[in-house]
Amino acid sequence: MSKEKRQMSLGAMLFYPAGEHIASWRHPQAEADKLMDFEYYKRFIQTAERGKFDLFFYADEVYLWDRFESGISHANTIRPEPFTLLSALSVVTEHIGLAATISTTYNEPYHIARKLATLDYLSKGRAAWNIVTSQADEEARNFGKEKHMDHSERYERAKEFIDVTQGLWDSWEDDALLFDKESGYFADINKLHNLDYKGKHFSVRGPLNVSRPPQGYPVLIQAGASDAGKELAAAKAEVVFGPGGPIENAISLYEDLKGRMAKYGRERDELKILPAVSAVVGRTEAEAQEKLAIIEGLAPVRLGLDLLSHFLGRDISDLPLDEPLPFIPEIEGFNQSKSALERLRQMVTEEKLTVRELARRFTNRKSVVGTPEQIADYLEEWFVKGAADGFNLVFPHLPGCLDDFVDLVVPELQRRGLFRTEYTGNTLREHFQLQRPASRFVNGRS
Amino acid sequence: MSKEKRQMSLGAMLFYPAGEHIASWRHPQAEADKLMDFEYYKRFIQTAERGKFDLFFYADEVYLWDRFESGISHANTIRPEPFTLLSALSVVTEHIGLAATISTTYNEPYHIARKLATLDYLSKGRAAWNIVTSQADEEARNFGKEKHMDHSERYERAKEFIDVTQGLWDSWEDDALLFDKESGYFADINKLHNLDYKGKHFSVRGPLNVSRPPQGYPVLIQAGASDAGKELAAAKAEVVFGPGGPIENAISLYEDLKGRMAKYGRERDELKILPAVSAVVGRTEAEAQEKLAIIEGLAPVRLGLDLLSHFLGRDISDLPLDEPLPFIPEIEGFNQSKSALERLRQMVTEEKLTVRELARRFTNRKSVVGTPEQIADYLEEWFVKGAADGFNLVFPHLPGCLDDFVDLVVPELQRRGLFRTEYTGNTLREHFQLQRPASRFVNGRS
């Protein structure tokens, strides 16, 4: 680690391919018919790399949101599969990290360990894994189940999944492969290890048929903000994708997460906390507000009502739009993101939002809106006050919001010495100043 | 279809990354320490594309062959995961098809349908799927099972898997996506279809969150030569990767497969049969024989004995090397490739090979060896006598055998009018002159 001024890390996130807004595809600049084209993503990631971002963070779900007609009619429902996309993008980039969102709920650790290891090789040490659990019944029904798995069981399975995956990455010691043409020895048999894992959710013998990844393990990212999610993050994650929200909440989350690490024998620096930030930048405040107004007008109200109905598990589309929600959402029996429910309860009980306003919140993520200096002030405050080690940027529409951030905000952050002007490392671990983990077999060989 | 002279199709196959030979990595030209490097595969596929090959055929298994120490010590045990590799390679190629070998035994159809559809988009219509079933206990143990699935159950599952996958590719009709910014309609809800599949092995609701692939369905490849495999091929496959062997066998297999198609309502032309051919080419016969001798000397005898022991399910490493195998391998209870067992029984009963010779056959695939003219004569004979629609070339060592084939044999085939001099189509279906399948929902909308 250098003694120089601490700098922030930046991720460029994509979920809906046209931009973070569920109806970004309607934006005048949107290239709605290009969302399955390689060139579209190539432009996105090359812009992020021009902005010296640490990471391209590709979010994902393994279903199509069709519970309500509006989801099919109005929302952006299609997106490329993460590994296939990121692997292709590794070819047209040199430095930026590549984070694949992969659920531990409906996958097999052997396949995922192998794909991540391969991506790490092809990208020369730039792979990351955003570890998620699946929480939609629609997703369950694509994989032979009727309902999604219970919250605690999902996390238990996630933990096992990570253990198995790391074990498979350790199959080969770093110097196990000899390639000795003369003697005929391809590998040193003493440096290959079976995993022989037998747990509640997985039984996996190993070894992996890919050698140890360049980064040892690809960088592990996690986002769960429930208690189980926080414990998993403190034990295993190297990057946490935080929810954003008020700075006070972010500071407590930051302290909470870093405080849990010691009992797992980890230093605070071994985990980077990157809250989500949606930024709408204008050369003037007025320009920024104009941009915001366009974005907030994109989604039909019906889409927001249906998203809210989905989240609540009850149809609220017949309620009067301009009155408060006539009930407080129950925690008891709720089986999706607990932290998102907490935020919703706050909107209902403290902010006392109307149904229309709640619906709008469900389509329009709260953005930081302003000039480059104002956005930089905001980020700097979070960074120096201990709310963040960096940020995971989401872009309400594309390509505009990413271009603006790279062209206007990044230079301002660089002027302030808060962000790199050039990549100094090659691997994603080097960008994040994270150590390369040693194989479990190097000391005390099994 | 054109009325011009019928031309052959060519696939370039890779299983062991250093070449088809299990110890190709020992060859003086081999780049054994580059087998996880993107540049290595980029060179391979760009050479094949320079040779106007239809297809890069990437074979795969989801385990590491460690039943015997020799497998770890001497064999080439590591290889990139197919989707991750092929997707990256799509970026550095323009025409050649990209075939991923994916087992139906330990995968989920939703994931595979999505990855193949994404690969088809990113490559602009060049994806293919080599459909295999898994037949090694080691593989089973990486996925929570003790033993691999029974032959008939594997094929039953494979058939369901394909049905589900094709159903998911049909989720969206070709013109379902509207991208109408003005009206706010992203898609026409009437052109999106749930699958609601409930079978013995899979229950999958759908729809897929990727639109219909450019090719309708990626090209389906299959290799099973058992009766169940042949029926599956006749019903579903568009390319069959045949076993090679004597021409008489290949002609009967060709007729057998094409003869089974009518009952599934398919024309003979809708299936291309590409036997495996391993070619060792020299500018003179003597040079070719010299090259062969180097290749055949690469594998230690022990490796061949262990491969044979594995296949037989009993240890034969203590038998006298220069005497015939003292038993005839039993068909009863055998649960790997039935057709490979048939070929082995022929070697034992008819060719009366010694244990050493059998071991050598298990490391050295039979090659066609000779001048470019001799190789072209061989391929032409198979092609005109109804044994093949083309060939899946395997290369005993790399890069030499591929370079030789492209530089010496392809021009000879082109001179004879048997092979294209330029790509005339863009998609893999166009190379193979295969129709783009219509969605099941276009007539008689469900």
Side-chain angles (χ1 to χ4, degrees), chain A residues 98-277:
Chain A
L98 305 157
T101 297
I102 304 295
S103 169
T104 55
T105 310
Y106 305 115
N107 277 294
E108 287 286 340
Y110 197 95
H111 288 313
I112 300 308
R114 195 165 173 231
K115 286 180 171 71
L116 282 165
T118 302
L119 181 62
D120 207 42
Y121 271 102
L122 299 183
S123 67
K124 299 191 171 70
R126 294 187 283 137
W129 173 21
N130 177 35
I131 304 160
V132 299
T133 66
S134 294
Q135 53 185 3
D137 291 340
E138 282 86 349
E139 207 155 3
R141 292 180 195 129
N142 289 332
F143 297 95
K145 306 260 190 298
E146 265 311 302
K147 298 193 79 61
H148 68 278
M149 217 177 269
D150 183 66
H151 188 271
S152 64
E153 199 175 2
R154 285 206 311 271
Y155 273 87
E156 183 186 73
R157 182 179 162 109
K159 201 172 165 316
E160 271 199 26
F161 196 113
I162 299 168
D163 287 345
V164 172
T165 306
Q166 290 183 324
L168 290 170
W169 287 328
D170 285 337
S171 296
W172 296 92
E173 293 182 31
D174 287 313
D175 58 352
L177 296 178
L178 305 171
F179 310 121
D180 186 342
K181 291 183 181 181
E182 194 59 40
S183 68
Y185 277 82
F186 185 84
D188 179 349
I189 193 166
N190 298 309
K191 295 183 176 176
L192 177 64
H193 307 276
N194 285 352
L195 181 61
D196 286 327
Y197 184 94
K198 287 199 196 308
K200 181 175 160 195
H201 296 272
F202 301 107
S203 296
V204 179
R205 174 181 177 269
L208 197 64
N209 58 355
V210 174
S211 43
R212 197 156 191 266
Q215 294 188 103
Y217 306 155
V219 173
L220 301 186
I221 307 177
Q222 213 261 333
S226 66
D227 202 64
K230 286 174 188 170
E231 284 303 316
L232 186 62
K236 292 286 186 184
E238 299 173 293
V239 174
V240 158
F241 168 43
I247 187 167
E248 300 73 30
N249 297 9
I251 292 171
S252 347
L253 177 63
Y254 188 96
E255 280 309 312
D256 183 5
L257 280 172
K258 299 237 173 178
R260 292 173 192 240
M261 294 175 71
K263 68 173 176 285
Y264 298 104
R266 302 181 71 203
E267 302 286 334
R268 289 166 64 98
D269 270 356
E270 293 174 42
L271 172 64
K272 309 294 173 188
I273 299 177
L274 274 54
V277 174

Side-chain angles (χ1 to χ4, degrees), chain A residues 26-27 30 60-61 73-74 79 81 84 87 106 111 114 118 141-142 144 181 184 186 203 205-206 209, chain B residues 26-27 30 60-61 73-74 79 81 84 87 106 111 114 118 141-142 144 179 181 184 186 203 205-206 209:
Chain A
R26 283 186 79 187
H27 192 279
D60 195 45
E61 288 174 346
S73 299
H74 303 304
R79 72 173 66 91
E81 188 279 332
T84 323
S87 184
Y106 305 115
H111 288 313
R114 195 165 173 231
T118 302
R141 292 180 195 129
N142 289 332
K181 291 183 181 181
F186 185 84
S203 296
R205 174 181 177 269
N209 58 355
Chain B
R26 284 188 78 187
H27 192 279
D60 194 44
E61 287 173 347
S73 301
H74 304 303
R79 71 173 66 91
E81 188 279 332
T84 323
S87 184
Y106 304 116
H111 288 312
R114 195 165 172 232
T118 302
R141 291 181 195 129
N142 289 332
F179 311 119
K181 291 183 182 182
F186 185 84
S203 295
R205 173 180 179 269
N209 57 355

Side-chain angles (χ1 to χ4, degrees), chain A residues 18 42 91 202 323:
Chain A
K42 177 179 167 184
V91 178
F202 301 107
E323 291 174 25

Side-chain angles (χ1 to χ4, degrees), chain B residues 39-83:
Chain B
E39 293 297 322
Y40 178 81
Y41 297 94
K42 177 179 168 184
R43 180 184 162 173
F44 178 94
I45 199 167
Q46 289 186 336
T47 303
E49 189 165 75
R50 180 164 61 79
K52 315 299 174 199
F53 275 70
D54 294 75
L55 186 68
F56 172 40
F57 184 106
Y58 188 61
D60 194 44
E61 287 173 347
V62 196
Y63 75 106
L64 182 158
W65 187 63
D66 63 350
R67 195 177 300 183
F68 299 91
E69 280 195 21
S70 66
I72 305 166
S73 301
H74 304 303
N76 183 341
T77 39
I78 56 167
R79 71 173 66 91
E81 188 279 332
F83 280 114

Side-chain angles (χ1 to χ4, degrees), chain B residues 294-320:
Chain B
I294 294 173
I295 293 160
E296 296 204 331
L298 294 174
V301 120
R302 177 75 205 201
L303 193 51
L305 291 174
D306 290 346
L307 281 167
L308 187 51
S309 294
H310 176 123
F311 186 75
L312 291 168
R314 63 195 261 189
D315 189 349
I316 56 126
S317 62
D318 288 337
L319 294 179

